[in-house]
């Protein structure tokens, strides 16, 4: 909690810093929306969740060095799925809040290349979704979280932009420690073995995203 409070203060300071720079330089503000795919680098995790999807958005401010530096507060979500059977799907959900900095290094024709760095605070939850027939439709119910936790991730990569569209390829470092639900621990005890109260996970991912830029 203390870590998140400090992170929230830092994020608020970043927003203030960006707005001050933008006001001083009268730089344009953009809205960036991107979505893509994720793949875990850890083989055991990849065998459970072969791939995932992501969605991120946030306002981007062009500041410093004639607008070549871009700072973007951002929020987003990641979802990974594992189909257990015809009616049950395991979910791994990551909700994030953070910021990204990118810099216009060079361009070729109308394509601009931006190395970027991002840092986010993440909330992680692992649960099941069960489908069942309900009249003429289908009803979906969600289980309690088997695993949950939070932590800070860092990402770096390259963004290639053509006019208002861009492609991003990056690598994210994320090592959260997730708490195990008490019911899971009790069930394991009944089965004859003891489960630790929490586990560290290697959630490092390679991600590929497509984005669009809208000027505000």
């Amino acid at each position: 909690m203390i870590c998140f409070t400090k992170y929230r203060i830092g994020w608020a300071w970043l927003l203030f810093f960006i707005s001050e720079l933008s006001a001083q330089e009268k730089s344009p503000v953009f809205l960036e929306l991107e979505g893509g795919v994720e793949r875990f680098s850890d083989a055991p995790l990849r065998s459970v969740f072969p791939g995932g999807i992501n969605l991120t958005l946030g306002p981007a401010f062009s500041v410093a060095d004639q607008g070549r530096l871009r700072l973007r507060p951002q929020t987003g979500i990641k979802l990974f799925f594992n189909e257990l059977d015809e009616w049950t799907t395991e979910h791994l959900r990551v909700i994030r809040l953070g910021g990204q900095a990118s810099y216009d290094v060079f361009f070729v024709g109308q394509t601009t290349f931006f190395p970027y760095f991002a840092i986010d605070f993440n909330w992680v939850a692992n649960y099941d979704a069960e489908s069942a027939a309900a009249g003429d439709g289908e009803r979906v119910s969600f289980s309690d979280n088997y695993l949950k936790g939070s932590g800070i991730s860092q990402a770096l990569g390259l963004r290639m932009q053509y006019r208002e569209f861009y492609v991003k390829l990056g690598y994210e470092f994320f090592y959260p420690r997730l708490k195990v639900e008490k019911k899971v621990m009790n069930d394991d005890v009944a089965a004859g073995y003891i489960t630790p109260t929490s586990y560290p996970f290697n959630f490092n991912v390679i991600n590929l995203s497509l984005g669009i830029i809208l000027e505000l």
Side-chain angles (χ1 to χ4, degrees):
M1 181 61 68
I2 294 176
C3 178
F4 175 61
T5 300
K6 291 181 178 178
Y7 183 79
R8 191 167 50 181
I9 293 173
W11 195 73
W13 180 86
L14 176 62
L15 278 174
F16 175 77
F17 175 71
I18 290 172
S19 61
E20 284 296 306
L21 283 176
S22 182
Q24 292 174 12
E25 302 185 11
K26 297 182 179 180
S27 301
V29 180
F30 304 93
L31 176 64
E32 296 185 348
L33 174 64
E34 63 189 54
V37 294
E38 307 262 334
R39 185 169 174 80
F40 285 116
S41 61
D42 183 64
L45 263 177
R46 200 165 58 241
S47 67
V48 178
F49 298 105
I53 58 175
N54 67 64
L55 179 66
T56 306
L57 61 87
F61 300 82
S62 297
V63 299
D65 198 8
Q66 299 180 336
R68 297 178 70 183
L69 174 64
R70 292 193 179 181
L71 301 178
R72 185 182 81 186
Q74 61 186 16
T75 185
I77 186 171
K78 294 183 180 185
L79 292 171
F80 296 85
F81 306 97
N82 175 28
E83 189 172 337
L84 301 178
D85 56 42
E86 184 180 358
W87 303 103
T88 308
T89 304
E90 182 181 5
H91 290 236
L92 179 66
R93 183 191 66 213
V94 182
I95 297 175
R96 56 213 333 230
L97 178 68
Q100 175 187 279
S102 59
Y103 190 79
D104 173 4
V105 175
F106 67 94
F107 63 90
V108 177
Q110 297 187 56
T111 302
T112 308
F113 294 82
F114 292 83
Y116 72 87
F117 173 78
I119 183 168
D120 294 278
F121 192 89
N122 303 265
W123 293 267
V124 183
N126 174 226
Y127 55 91
D128 287 344
E130 295 187 3
S131 302
D136 295 332
E138 188 176 284
R139 181 176 59 85
V140 179
S141 60
F142 298 94
S143 71
D144 293 332
N145 295 329
Y146 301 130
L147 297 168
K148 62 181 179 180
S150 60
I152 293 176
S153 64
Q154 300 175 65
L156 51 86
L158 180 65
R159 163 174 156 169
M160 294 154 283
Q161 179 178 322
Y162 178 77
R163 296 183 179 178
E164 70 271 27
F165 302 100
Y166 62 87
V167 177
K168 282 175 58 180
L169 178 63
Y171 192 86
E172 180 178 280
F173 302 89
F174 186 32
Y175 296 93
R177 176 174 283 274
L178 305 184
K179 295 180 179 179
V180 181
E181 183 191 22
K182 190 172 182 179
K183 181 179 181 301
V184 174
M185 297 174 61
N186 291 339
D187 290 345
D188 288 346
V189 169
Y193 57 94
I194 298 176
T195 298
T197 57
S198 64
Y199 285 101
F201 284 87
N202 177 358
F203 277 3
N204 292 357
V205 293
I206 300 171
N207 51 59
L208 177 66
S209 302
L210 302 177
I212 186 171
I213 305 167
L214 303 173
E215 186 168 353
L216 300 180

